[in-house]
Amino acid sequence: MKKITVKVSDETYNLLIDLSARRQETVSSIVRKILEKGLTQEAAESGIDAVTEAVRKAMRDVLRPTEDRLAKLMAKAAVAAATAMYMNVQTIADLGKHNAVEIYNEARVKAAAYLKERDDNE
């Protein structure tokens, strides 16, 4: 064992003396146990932090291609939806309906309400 010298406040010293008397152990033994417990806990927390960061990095690396692919698919879906929307409005107008935009807005409100409905399978 190696010897170290530590200075503590009067309050800490008095707490150690009281604890020593209650446990019937030496102050050195109590300080050694507290120090070892604190170091073990600190090492465990540091280890957990390292493992947590490694897991997060691995998950980011694995999920990044999927996230990129989903973003591209969503962009394509948005373009397709916008194209369909404008084609529908144009088709309605070509059919001689003068209120094509009104029909579109009404359909959009109904579509939004439909999307908010809860599916029984959810």
Side-chain angles (χ1 to χ4, degrees), residues 8-109:
V8 296
S9 68
D10 290 340
E11 182 181 343
T12 301
Y13 179 78
N14 290 333
L15 289 170
L16 284 169
I17 295 298
D18 290 345
L19 187 58
S20 172
R22 277 184 303 189
R23 289 188 181 178
Q24 296 180 347
E25 293 182 51
T26 65
V27 172
S28 297
S29 174
I30 292 171
V31 169
R32 195 171 17 261
K33 287 178 183 177
I34 291 171
L35 187 59
E36 287 172 357
K37 183 177 179 181
L39 289 172
T40 301
Q41 184 176 352
E42 180 68 27
E45 288 174 2
S46 295
I48 288 171
D49 290 345
V51 169
T52 300
E53 185 55 36
V55 168
R56 284 184 180 150
K57 184 185 179 319
M59 289 183 71
R60 275 193 304 269
D61 292 346
V62 168
L63 293 176
R64 176 83 56 206
T66 303
E67 290 172 350
D68 292 344
R69 178 70 179 135
L70 286 173
K72 289 176 184 175
L73 287 171
M74 288 180 69
K76 286 182 179 182
V79 169
T83 302
M85 175 190 69
Y86 286 112
M87 285 179 65
N88 284 334
V89 170
Q90 186 62 50
T91 302
I92 292 168
D94 289 348
L95 290 173
K97 301 283 187 182
H98 298 293
N99 59 347
V101 174
E102 184 182 316
I103 293 170
Y104 162 76
N105 287 331
E106 190 176 313
R108 187 169 183 206
V109 168

